[in-house]
Amino acid sequence: MSASRNVPPEVKARIEAIKKIREQEERVRKNLEKIKYKIAILSGKGGVGKSFVTASLAFALAYLGRQVGVLDADIYGPSIPKMMGVAGQPVMATDDGRILPVIAPLGVKVLSIGIMLPSEDTPVIWRGPLSTSAIREMLAYAEWGTLDYLLIDLPPGTGDEQLTIVQLIKDLTGTIIVTIPSDVSRIVVAKAINFARKLNAPILGIVENMSYFKCPDGSKHYIFGEGAGRKIAEKYNVPFLAEIPIDPRISRANDSGEPFFVKYPDSEAAKIILELAKKIIDIVENKENVSE
Ligand code: ADP
């Protein structure tokens, strides 16, 4: 009797399932291997502007002459399409079934579960394995073409789900942690740093968003507290990359689907984001100041 005949059907099914996952992981690896730099953007909690930072950084990198793609893996609150001005654009596929990203201003390529939903109000009721498999499909079958940077906007939090997504990307260049300067954020940023350290990829640094509000007379007001991001960066010995101000035009632009960075290039926030993009280029392309 051959050994294979003794394998019960449920075990065979499990082996097949594992094989399929392996095959798809290999497909993801192959599909992403031509992309030079893959950066995951994460935050310990929602609402800190992670998607805004991802979208704006993508535009800034494109403005600096890089070819950029954004994968919106924040499956529960996909706000990237609107922030990047591509909401409602139809997603196309190639004849051989590969998914074509939509093209945002400055030629940035965008792929998001949000683009694939029939309407903005459609709830994404997928949980755990299903959402991960949707992202795995996007990673395996997206036709990115030539890219210098792929920015991956992760769901907020630092649990198993985020881990599963990032671990699909074998040669991640690094992570960026986005936070706001409140005291509560300090605890979640510490968690995010510990999470990022598990990933075998360098932490490129911390970006503090909504750091202050600047009045027309030039005075700065630290609405959520001052300096928490910088302090935590020092404590954990990771680079502190930027302090982005609160600007009511940011949420207005995001709500109306006009990319802030493109619409208000002369604003203080846009200039700071441009400096942030230059720092990222410096860190990853010159491999300087990278904190393991
Ligand atoms: P997250 O991805 O962390 O959940 P979002 O990027 O969706 O957060 O931002 C949450 C809300 O805050 C959005 O309405 C966005 O327009 C707004 N926002 C983000 N950053 C700023 C800022 N610096 N100033 C004003 N509003 C901001």
Side-chain angles (χ1 to χ4, degrees):
M1 201 188 283
S2 84
S4 67
R5 241 186 270 154
N6 288 333
V7 179
E10 65 274 19
V11 176
K12 264 192 188 163
R14 235 173 267 148
I15 293 171
E16 276 312 305
I18 292 170
K19 259 196 212 160
K20 274 211 178 102
I21 291 177
R22 288 262 175 280
E23 275 167 26
Q24 211 175 25
E25 277 177 1
E26 179 55 19
R27 227 172 272 143
V28 170
R29 194 192 59 75
K30 275 213 129 128
N31 198 35
L32 301 183
E33 81 187 347
K34 280 183 292 178
I35 301 171
K36 285 191 206 143
Y37 310 111
K38 292 145 222 166
I39 299 174
I41 325 289
L42 56 112
S43 67
K45 65 187 184 93
V48 298
K50 171 181 53 60
S51 300
F52 165 67
V53 170
T54 308
S56 308
L57 179 60
F59 287 129
L61 287 166
Y63 177 82
L64 293 169
R66 304 307 189 272
Q67 288 181 301
V68 187
V70 173
L71 176 71
D72 180 10
D74 188 350
I75 208 146
Y76 303 119
S79 43
I80 286 284
K82 216 167 176 190
M83 286 184 180
M84 302 197 72
V86 293
Q89 278 197 30
V91 174
M92 307 287 196
T94 61
D95 289 342
D96 57 350
R98 295 172 60 74
I99 312 162
L100 286 169
V102 296
I103 309 295
L106 303 177
V108 178
K109 295 172 182 172
V110 182
L111 207 50
S112 162
I113 210 78
I115 300 176
M116 299 179 196
L117 300 175
S119 83
E120 249 182 42
D121 307 330
T122 312
V124 180
I125 48 167
W126 296 335
R127 288 288 178 266
L130 256 185
S131 67
T132 322
S133 81
I135 290 160
R136 196 181 280 139
E137 292 281 306
M138 292 201 287
L139 286 169
Y141 295 106
E143 180 56 67
W144 292 108
T146 327
L147 279 191
D148 296 309
Y149 286 86
L150 179 65
L151 306 185
I152 304 126
D153 186 18
L154 286 182
T158 48
D160 281 350
E161 191 184 359
Q162 290 79 3
L163 203 59
T164 314
I165 297 169
V166 220
Q167 281 175 339
L168 285 170
I169 304 157
K170 299 292 174 212
D171 53 347
L172 194 69
T173 309
T175 53
I176 295 174
I177 298 169
V178 180
T179 185
I180 56 169
S182 75
D183 226 30
V184 190
S185 293
R186 263 202 245 188
I187 302 155
V188 283
V189 177
K191 274 195 189 164
I193 290 173
N194 288 330
F195 171 86
R197 286 195 165 143
K198 279 190 214 156
L199 297 175
N200 244 345
I203 299 172
L204 303 176
I206 293 178
V207 172
E208 190 184 84
N209 186 31
M210 308 191 201
S211 296
Y212 57 87
F213 178 74
K214 205 173 192 180
C215 283
D217 66 4
S219 58
K220 279 181 175 181
H221 300 270
Y222 294 87
I223 315 274
F224 296 116
E226 192 179 347
R230 194 180 290 278
K231 271 185 215 143
I232 198 150
E234 273 165 19
K235 181 171 172 194
Y236 288 90
N237 199 23
V238 295
F240 184 68
L241 298 172
E243 276 179 347
I244 302 172
I246 298 171
D247 185 336
R249 290 174 298 178
I250 292 176
S251 52
R252 277 208 295 274
N254 287 341
D255 286 347
S256 66
E258 293 170 291
F260 173 82
F261 182 86
V262 179
K263 193 166 183 204
Y264 300 105
D266 294 328
S267 62
E268 180 159 322
K271 285 180 187 159
I272 289 170
I273 289 159
L274 192 61
E275 287 311 306
L276 167 67
K278 287 180 188 164
K279 271 191 195 165
I280 297 296
I281 288 176
D282 211 42
I283 294 172
V284 306
E285 297 183 18
N286 304 327
K287 299 256 181 308
E288 275 174 13
N289 308 324
V290 174
S291 142
E292 298 285 348

